[in-house]
Every structure is written in structure tokens, then in C-alpha cells.
Amino acid sequence: MPRIVLIHGDITEQDVDAIVNAANSSLMGGGGVDGAIHRRGGPAILEECRRLRADRYPQGLPTGQAAVTTGGRLRARWVIHTVGPVYSRREDRSALLASCHIESLRVADQIGAKTVAFPAISTGVYGYPLDEAAPLALSAVRGVTTDVVEVQFVLFDRAAYEAFELALSRAT
Ligand code: APR
């Protein structure tokens, strides 16, 4: 089980092997952390996203799956793009959110990344409540057999940091 570290900060500044992007299925960028990563990482990331769409995901990257590109100008060597579920009160999409973490770590193992930083996937534009997303994300990561030695959750705002801190305290 990888060491889990919580950081209150900007994921684009993290010095890790791979950072995970909360993308949308188009992989063509967006707002939030997606926008920050493309802005900071530069056009090389989008160029590889275009190739991913052309070669492997003509219909778009499905929710819960993950795909890797260069980190471009970021300190991280790679960006692992994953598409979180949009929150629904009617339908339980927790398995899809867990899959984002499991699949991202599977891709990390494929490329040999040993340190991986996650944002709080789906908790922004996609509306997932932090008190549901935080324990879900932590238990998904804790349940994975992986060669990754350190997983960071990089939380941009205080509310997200506190939600993950509470969930981590309850998990240990
Ligand atoms: N570093 C770390 N976390 C960040 C950063 C950053 N630079 N910028 C935003 N966040 C946080 C948000 O505060 C939120 O807690 O990332 C979390 C996820 O929010 P979003 O980026 O809105 O992602 P998500 O909710 O998964 O929605 C994805 O938003 O940006 C679009 O293209 C993206 O359509 C996709 C959708």
C-alpha cells in the first residue's frame, strides 16, 4: 500500500513522477485543474491528447478510465488523465470514482511512476460532495496493490484539505 500524503496546494507545482488530471472525456482541456495543467504544462500535453483521441479513444476517454501523456513543461514527467463521474443523487457512481484512482495507479505502474499526485477528482465542476469523495478516493488508493511508493492528494482549497484530513484520520 503506498504512503498517502495530503498537501494543501497547487498540483501543477508538485515535484512527483506523475500528476493526475481531472479531465473530461474529450481530453481537449477545460477549467479547474484541467485548465491549470494545460496552462502550466503547455501545448505538448494537448498534442498528445489529440493523438490519444485519434489513435485510441475516438469516442472520448470513458468515465473511470485513465490515459497518460507527457507532463510537458510541468515538473512532473507525466500527466495521467482520468475522467471522473458527474455526481448524481439518483445513481450511485462511487465505483466510477474509485475506478479513476485504481486505473490511474495501474497506468502509473505501466510507466514506472513511483510518486503520483491526485487532485480531488469530481469535487469541482462535477459536483461530487467532498464528504463522499474523500473517503472513496482514500479507500480506493489504500486497496490497490501497486509499485507506487507515495500517493499525494493535493487539495487546492481548505474545505477539500479538511475533508481529506478527516477521512484519513477515520481510515487509520
Ligand atoms: N491544483 C489542485 N487542485 C485543483 C487545482 C489545482 N491547480 N485547480 C482546481 N483544483 C481542484 C478543485 O478545487 C476541485 O477540488 O480540483 C478539484 C476538481 O475540480 P475540477 O477541476 O472542477 O474537476 P472535476 O470536478 O473533476 O470536473 C471536471 O471540469 O475543468 C473541467 O475539463 C474539466 O470538464 C472537466 C470537469
Side-chain angles (χ1 to χ4, degrees):
M1 181 174 71
R3 180 175 57 251
I4 293 180
V5 173
L6 304 185
I7 294 173
H8 182 191
D10 180 338
I11 200 167
T12 64
E13 293 171 4
Q14 299 313 310
D15 188 9
V16 288
D17 294 336
I19 60 173
V20 175
N21 180 22
N24 58 61
S25 62
S26 77
L27 292 178
M28 291 296 105
V33 71
D34 195 5
I37 286 172
H38 280 279
R39 238 187 340 272
R40 191 88 180 256
I45 298 176
L46 192 59
E47 276 159 35
E48 288 196 14
C49 284
R50 285 207 180 90
R51 271 207 289 282
L52 281 172
R53 284 296 313 275
D55 302 348
R56 289 184 56 191
Y57 302 103
Q59 307 304 324
L61 182 64
T63 300
Q65 292 189 27
V68 65
T69 67
T70 177
R73 292 198 294 261
L74 291 168
R75 298 168 77 180
R77 185 169 164 198
W78 294 287
V79 174
I80 297 172
H81 305 264
T82 191
V83 181
V86 174
Y87 186 67
S88 161
R89 255 180 290 284
R90 288 183 320 286
E91 183 192 335
D92 175 5
R93 294 175 176 169
S94 54
L96 284 168
L97 185 56
S99 173
C100 286
H101 298 82
I102 295 161
E103 287 303 305
S104 293
L105 289 175
R106 190 177 56 75
V107 170
D109 283 341
Q110 280 175 344
I111 60 182
K114 296 291 178 254
T115 54
V116 176
F118 284 94
I121 298 168
S122 285
T123 67
V125 168
Y126 282 0
Y128 225 101
L130 280 163
D131 62 342
E132 290 184 39
L136 239 165
L138 289 168
S139 62
V141 167
R142 291 163 65 91
V144 176
T145 301
T146 171
D147 295 330
V148 170
V149 295
E150 179 171 298
V151 165
Q152 297 179 354
F153 282 97
V154 183
L155 295 322
F156 202 49
D157 52 51
R158 184 115 217 102
Y161 184 84
E162 287 172 359
F164 273 78
E165 198 176 39
L166 179 62
L168 191 58
S169 67
R170 285 177 176 163
T172 36

